[in-house]
Amino acid sequence: MRKKIIAANWKMNMTQGEAAAFVETLLLELGDESDVDVVIIPPFTAIPKVTEALGAAQNIKVGAQNMHWERSGAFTGEISAAMLRDLYVRYIVLGHSERRQYFGETDEIVNRKVRAAHEALLRPIVCIGETLDQREHGNVEKILAHQLRGSLADLNGKELTETVVAYEPVWAIGTGRNATPQQAQEAHAFIRHTLTQISDSATAEKVRIQYGGSVKPENAAELMSQPDIDGALVGGASLDARSFAQIVKAARPDDRD
Ligand code: PEP
């Protein structure tokens, strides 16, 4: 049984004060959640404040939104995996469609970062997903297989099982238009099938696949009741602590039975 994982991708939002207030409310709503893996992914500048505000709540982990693949050096403006570990970061979002679209990240770049993350014992959340045009031309599976094989190249079985894949159809991100549970399940089943080809079925069964794209309290439970949907990567709705907490609650095992 795969444990659900719900992550809050704040993108370029939240000051330190706002981050601390968010965590305070979240802890009132959830306590130190243990039924669901919860990850808060602030901008770099708010990471220490989130960790401080979480205090003794050790089950809730902190992530980051990007990193460089090199360990150190002359890369102005970049941040390494070791620097993130130094801030107690445990997860790293890689290959988000906004980074692919606005910052030219390719599968090859994503793969370098994924391998560097594993080397530093950070767990990558690797985002893949098709555009509307690609979906309308019937290319969903081709695109997903290509992104998956490229981004996850050269990982061993252990690294694969410690990788989270986020299926994020680009047309559903920040648009209010989510994939239907059936559309999402179809894509997730295909991703798991491709993971079987990349490794083996025992490994593929262990990999958690999140859905991302306009997840809200109203649609979370139905999406997460699908057999291959193992959680959510949440953008907009994760900026409000109560909305985000409701999504986490919708992923608790008892709430789905
Ligand atoms: C995201 O950016 O990863 C995302 C899923 O955003 P939203 O929930 O706002 O669609």
Side-chain angles (χ1 to χ4, degrees):
M1 183 73 182
R2 294 178 295 268
K3 190 173 183 185
K4 294 272 195 280
I5 174 165
I6 307 291
N9 174 17
W10 287 352
K11 311 193 187 192
M12 198 170 72
N13 295 291
M14 297 281 213
T15 61
Q16 294 189 76
E18 289 164 342
F22 176 102
V23 173
E24 197 180 311
T25 306
L26 191 73
L27 290 178
L28 287 175
E29 293 281 333
L30 297 178
D32 190 10
E33 176 72 37
S34 60
D35 291 339
V36 176
D37 282 344
V38 178
V39 187
I40 301 175
I41 309 173
F44 296 129
T45 47
I47 287 173
K49 184 56 82 178
V50 168
T51 305
E52 181 192 318
L54 284 171
Q58 304 236 325
N59 287 327
I60 300 180
K61 304 294 187 208
V62 180
Q65 299 174 21
N66 184 32
M67 57 171 245
H68 197 272
W69 61 83
E70 291 288 352
R71 291 182 183 171
S72 62
F75 301 101
T76 301
E78 294 291 336
I79 285 191
S80 73
M83 291 168 183
L84 295 173
R85 289 281 308 185
D86 196 36
L87 295 179
Y88 309 104
V89 165
R90 290 288 176 270
Y91 288 84
I92 178 80
V93 174
L94 296 172
H96 191 282
S97 65
E98 287 151 16
R99 297 222 50 94
R100 293 176 187 264
Q101 185 181 348
Y102 304 129
F103 302 97
E105 289 200 5
T106 61
D107 291 328
E108 199 219 321
I109 292 174
V110 175
N111 180 244
R112 281 194 210 181
K113 294 183 177 190
V114 170
R115 285 184 288 133
H118 280 299
E119 227 170 84
L121 304 179
L122 285 176
R123 290 173 179 245
I125 297 177
V126 180
C127 305
I128 59 170
E130 81 287 355
T131 63
L132 189 57
D133 186 60
Q134 289 162 339
R135 176 165 279 267
E136 286 174 350
H137 283 86
N139 288 330
V140 176
E141 295 192 349
K142 190 174 127 201
I143 295 296
L144 294 183
H146 192 267
Q147 290 182 339
L148 207 56
R149 287 178 183 279
S151 303
L152 303 184
D154 299 324
L155 297 192
N156 62 37
K158 181 170 182 289
E159 289 168 336
L160 270 177
T161 58
E162 286 170 1
T163 299
V164 177
V165 175
Y167 169 60
E168 299 211 306
V170 178
W171 47 271
I173 296 179
T175 58
R177 181 181 166 188
N178 64 289
T180 64
Q182 292 70 29
Q183 282 172 323
Q185 167 56 27
E186 216 171 274
H188 283 228
F190 175 75
I191 290 167
R192 202 172 305 285
H193 168 72
T194 308
L195 289 169
T196 303
Q197 293 177 333
I198 291 173
S199 55
D200 54 69
S201 60
T203 303
E205 276 305 311
K206 289 184 196 148
V207 177
R208 293 186 290 182
I209 309 173
Q210 293 178 310
Y211 168 77
S214 299
V215 175
K216 321 181 251 283
E218 302 80 56
N219 60 22
E222 202 187 347
L223 281 161
M224 279 177 287
S225 67
Q226 302 300 311
D228 286 294
I229 300 186
D230 307 313
L233 182 54
V234 188
S238 78
L239 295 173
D240 179 85
R242 286 190 183 83
S243 293
F244 183 65
Q246 274 180 270
I247 295 170
V248 173
K249 288 176 188 171
R252 284 177 177 162
D254 289 344
D255 288 294
R256 285 181 289 113
D257 290 340

